[in-house]
Amino acid sequence: MIDRAWQRYVLDGGEPEGIPEEIVQSWKRVRERLGIDPRLRHVRLSLSPEALEERRSRSEALALARPILDEFAERLGLTDHVLAYLDGDGWMLSIDGAPATVESVAGIDFRPGTSWREDSAGTNGPGTALAERKPVEVFASEHFVEAWQPWSCAAAPVFAAGVPEPVGLVDITGPWQVQKRQALVVARAIACAIEERLNVAASVRAEVVRHVFRASHLSGDALVAVDRNGAILELNDAAARCRALTGRKLPAGGHDALVRALARPGTGARDFPLAMPGGRELMASPITHDGTIIGAILRVPAERSARRADRPAVRAPMSRYEFDRIQGTSASLRRAVDLAAIASRNTLPVVLSGESGTGKELLAQAIHAASSRREGPFVAVNCGAIPVTLAEAELFGYEPGAFTGGRREGSPGRFEDADGGTLFLDEVADLCPTAQTALLRVLQEGEVVRLGGGAPRRTDVRVVVATNKPLMGEIAAGRFRRDLYYRLNVLSIAVPPLRERGDDVVLLARAFLAEAEAQVCRSGLSFDADTVEALRAHCWPGNVRELKNVILRAAATAPSDRLRPEDLLIDRGAGAPEQGPGERPEALRETRFQSEREALVAALSACDWNLARAAAGLGISRMTLYRHLAKYGVTRPDRLS
């Protein structure tokens, strides 16, 4: 019956009868408006491999959908069918299924890089579902193009919250003889699962934008938090009074310009001006999360606050390092630098975790230097070096007479010193409990209360902390507040130890040698081949700091311009741990292996073997945690029934 209806309409020009209404409407569209030839052998539109890869890389929905597509492809078996994902413009981005079936459908151009919109392929499941904006099944001769008729396809569009048009589409295609009528139900179920994942991601990102907004609202500027589609999420009182806004919406011209700017490749590294109707100009600060722009903070700068103008002029300490001064090409270091660059584009708290001497403060300074706070102070505090009795006074200041030995006039704390800039708290795990409690209050309220005082003082400070101890382990031991951890650990960056950075050791050693020449008044120094191998072989327990000291000492004491392994003096004093009588390097490695394994098990036990929380507490990615589990042979113990 479908065959007769197709012949009557396509070949004879009669009216189709006995087929679904959406198919009838699609046939009319593709013949009368789009001019599709029913004798097509190939779709009209296709992408080059480079354009396909570029479109895939820009598809946030595909990245979020991939795990779901993989799971359903495995569940369904897909011996006779394929599972395809297309973007909101109708371009196929991925296809899963048995190789023979994938190859077979490729014969009709049903493959990644081709367009299956109706203007390219006529009536078909994906194209008609996009046109109708609803799930559609196109069976056999319901296809307008005769070459597609051996196949049947069921397609369901994917919608994201707040976006009126589909952002993607799920399709199940197979030979019409074996196509299961429940294929449309399955396609819709997959689309719903993807939509749920998209909505969760959107909620998380909206909350990140709100968090940035809340962290920024103390500056006195008129501030507006928007998502990537230009919808206003939050605004402060100053912005509510701003004439540049209409109610809780941006004017149409400004809204469209913002959305275009946020979608433009390369946006995200710097703030940019945004012209509004009427001549008003706002500054837009893009916010990124997981490498994707998720919104922006719009601001109309306010005049400098009186409280800062009244403060005695003190030269603010500035950061000394920028990202281009961070040397190294290893993948582990570049991941840390890339995350730090993302962190520099917002004002979220950052936790830098890694062993002593890995360069955590260098990264903190680079984050500050690349941020919108670069003109403000960078204040570094070593929490481990503050006496317990002075911790609160050091961080939050004190009023006159607060304690014996203090200045008669009182003193501002490091938070006030860092106002308008960045406060770097090194060895944050060593803060005493009372200082942790006060720090939590400052992070929550955005204000400090000096020791011995009662009046809160507003502060505008971005906090970056560093730790060489797994914070989840410190929480389990009762030494660190869990609520403070969650307040701080918004952006976590693992700084790799030098032994995991490959040939970065040699690169850094040569750079340090060039610096050392000026310090020791020598020139023409170099390493011989054996020295380079010795540098590579050493485990560098003191990391970059140890390497720099070793090179400086060798440059000062080596008898020849050609540095030899014995000039480094790293076999005992500056390298591996001291060996006792009869101790072998193998025994030391075994001891270290065992201690690292025990630390890993302790961190997992502290969070009830929740791998995501354990990875966050250790300051590493979940994939790195999986590698550590395999390396140390760690498996979860069986639960007692």
Side-chain angles (χ1 to χ4, degrees):
M1 187 170 102
I2 300 174
D3 290 343
R4 288 197 301 273
W6 181 82
Q7 291 174 4
R8 185 182 304 113
Y9 181 74
V10 174
L11 301 181
D12 303 333
E15 283 296 313
E17 297 177 356
I19 58 174
E21 181 60 25
E22 65 261 20
I23 302 298
V24 173
Q25 294 304 317
S26 176
W27 282 0
K28 291 181 178 180
R29 278 195 302 272
V30 301
R31 184 173 75 174
E32 299 169 10
R33 196 166 75 226
L34 302 176
I36 296 295
D37 186 347
R39 295 166 297 181
L40 273 179
R41 291 294 172 183
H42 300 281
V43 296
R44 285 179 168 182
L45 304 172
S46 60
L47 297 171
S48 68
E50 296 77 17
L52 170 61
E53 190 54 39
E54 195 271 339
R55 185 169 281 268
R56 280 173 170 161
S57 66
R58 285 194 294 110
S59 177
E60 176 192 2
L62 174 62
L64 292 169
R66 189 68 265 171
I68 295 171
L69 295 170
D70 290 343
E71 180 181 354
F72 273 93
E74 184 176 354
R75 284 189 191 178
L76 295 172
L78 296 177
T79 53
D80 300 317
H81 294 71
V82 293
L83 172 62
Y85 181 83
L86 298 87
D87 67 14
D89 295 323
W91 295 100
M92 189 190 294
L93 301 184
S94 74
I95 191 167
D96 294 289
T101 310
V102 171
E103 183 179 355
S104 185
V105 294
I108 60 166
D109 282 346
F110 199 71
R111 54 180 172 79
T114 54
S115 172
W116 282 81
R117 294 196 314 258
E118 287 186 337
D119 62 349
S120 175
T123 302
N124 69 90
T128 304
L130 286 176
E132 296 287 334
R133 301 178 72 253
K134 68 178 185 181
V136 169
E137 185 168 31
V138 177
F139 184 77
S141 297
E142 290 176 348
H143 289 92
F144 186 80
V145 175
E146 189 173 12
W148 320 154
Q149 291 179 357
W151 304 91
S152 291
C153 45
V158 175
F159 291 91
V163 182
E165 298 301 321
V167 298
L169 187 133
V170 174
D171 175 85
I172 297 176
T173 290
W176 70 266
Q177 302 97 324
V178 299
Q179 178 77 330
K180 298 178 175 61
R181 300 304 293 183
Q182 67 266 33
L184 189 61
V185 176
V186 176
R188 180 60 188 138
I190 299 172
C192 286
I194 295 171
E195 287 174 351
E196 183 177 350
R197 187 175 176 88
L198 291 175
N199 291 338
V200 168
S203 297
V204 170
R205 290 169 181 179
E207 187 54 36
V208 171
V209 174
R210 290 189 176 97
H211 183 100
V212 174
F213 173 82
R214 290 193 292 270
S216 305
H217 85 282
L218 300 172
S219 64
D221 299 344
L223 297 174
V224 182
V226 297
D227 65 17
R228 63 185 300 173
N229 300 310
I232 293 178
L233 300 173
E234 297 278 355
L235 73 167
N236 63 5
D237 291 340
R241 297 190 296 269
C242 181
R243 296 177 184 176
L245 303 177
T246 305
R248 286 185 64 90
K249 291 185 178 180
L250 297 175
H255 172 276
D256 295 344
L258 174 65
V259 172
R260 286 196 300 272
L262 294 180
R264 191 179 302 130
T267 299
R270 298 286 181 189
D271 296 355
F272 60 88
L274 180 67
M276 303 293 284
R280 174 66 68 90
E281 185 174 85
L282 307 181
M283 286 303 295
S285 302
I287 302 170
T288 51
H289 181 67
D290 288 342
T292 301
I293 293 180
I294 61 173
I297 300 294
L298 310 180
R299 73 179 68 219
V300 180
E303 296 182 2
R304 291 177 65 86
S305 64
R307 65 180 173 84
R308 193 176 300 171
D310 293 342
R311 186 181 297 175
V314 178
R315 189 177 186 276
M318 306 296 288
S319 60
R320 295 174 288 123
Y321 296 99
E322 297 181 350
F323 285 122
D324 58 8
R325 290 194 60 188
I326 299 176
Q327 300 187 53
T329 59
S330 62
S332 58
L333 177 69
R334 297 327 303 175
R335 279 195 299 271
V337 172
D338 289 345
L339 285 172
I342 292 171
S344 71
R345 300 168 199 157
N346 56 55
T347 58
L348 296 172
V350 177
V351 173
L352 301 169
S353 59
E355 298 175 8
S356 295
T358 50
K360 298 187 288 295
E361 182 172 351
L362 188 153
L363 265 184
Q365 292 198 29
I367 290 171
H368 173 79
S371 74
S372 60
R373 295 170 174 263
R374 66 184 71 88
E375 299 301 324
F378 177 88
V379 177
V381 180
N382 185 338
C383 299
I386 307 174
V388 172
T389 55
L390 297 179
E392 289 186 84
E394 176 74 12
L395 291 176
F396 314 116
Y398 58 90
E399 296 290 1
F403 60 89
T404 303
R407 295 179 183 175
R408 282 189 302 175
E409 69 276 17
S411 176
R414 306 313 294 257
F415 263 93
E416 290 181 71
D417 291 341
D419 192 29
T422 300
L423 179 64
F424 174 59
L425 300 177
D426 198 7
E427 298 184 30
V428 70
D430 292 337
L431 271 181
C432 63
T434 54
Q436 290 182 34
T437 301
L439 175 59
L440 178 63
R441 183 177 64 245
V442 173
L443 293 172
Q444 290 174 333
E445 306 299 334
E447 58 189 26
V448 297
V449 178
R450 289 185 180 180
L451 195 66
R457 299 168 183 262
R458 288 288 185 183
T459 59
D460 174 25
V461 176
R462 198 263 179 90
V463 176
V464 178
V465 306
T467 178
N468 58 10
K469 302 175 182 177
L471 290 181
M472 287 303 295
E474 294 298 295
I475 292 170
R479 293 188 291 266
F480 200 79
R481 292 182 62 117
R482 186 180 297 273
D483 48 1
L484 177 58
Y485 167 78
Y486 288 121
R487 176 66 65 171
L488 289 171
N489 196 47
V490 179
L491 295 174
S492 181
I493 301 174
V495 185
L498 190 55
R499 63 182 173 276
E500 294 180 5
R501 290 176 52 182
D503 276 347
D504 282 359
V505 174
V506 179
L507 184 152
L508 288 170
R510 288 180 172 139
F512 292 153
L513 186 61
E515 292 178 9
E517 286 183 327
Q519 293 177 268
V520 300
C521 300
R522 296 181 69 173
S523 61
L525 299 179
S526 63
F527 301 116
D528 70 15
D530 290 342
T531 308
V532 170
E533 288 308 309
L535 290 167
R536 287 195 178 108
H538 189 55
C539 66
W540 300 108
N543 292 294
V544 178
R545 185 182 298 129
E546 178 193 354
L547 174 64
K548 188 170 186 178
N549 291 340
V550 165
I551 299 302
L552 178 60
R553 183 180 60 221
T557 61
S560 166
D561 289 345
R562 190 80 167 164
L563 273 62
R564 298 166 57 82
E566 54 266 30
D567 297 326
L568 300 177
L569 301 175
I570 58 174
D571 57 330
R572 288 180 180 269
E578 290 282 356
Q579 298 180 33
E583 281 189 300
R584 296 174 293 105
E586 293 81 359
L588 292 171
R589 282 195 292 271
E590 176 61 29
T591 300
R592 179 176 176 176
F593 180 92
Q594 190 60 31
S595 63
E596 290 178 348
R597 186 182 190 280
E598 289 171 357
L600 180 61
V601 172
L604 288 161
S605 300
C607 53
D608 197 26
W609 288 77
N610 182 304
L611 298 185
R613 284 167 51 201
L618 291 166
I620 59 177
S621 70
R622 196 182 299 192
M623 289 307 299
T624 300
L625 178 59
Y626 290 146
R627 287 195 293 272
H628 285 349
L629 294 176
K631 173 183 176 182
Y632 294 107
V634 174
T635 57
R636 182 171 186 170
D638 294 334
R639 291 179 176 271
L640 295 176
S641 56

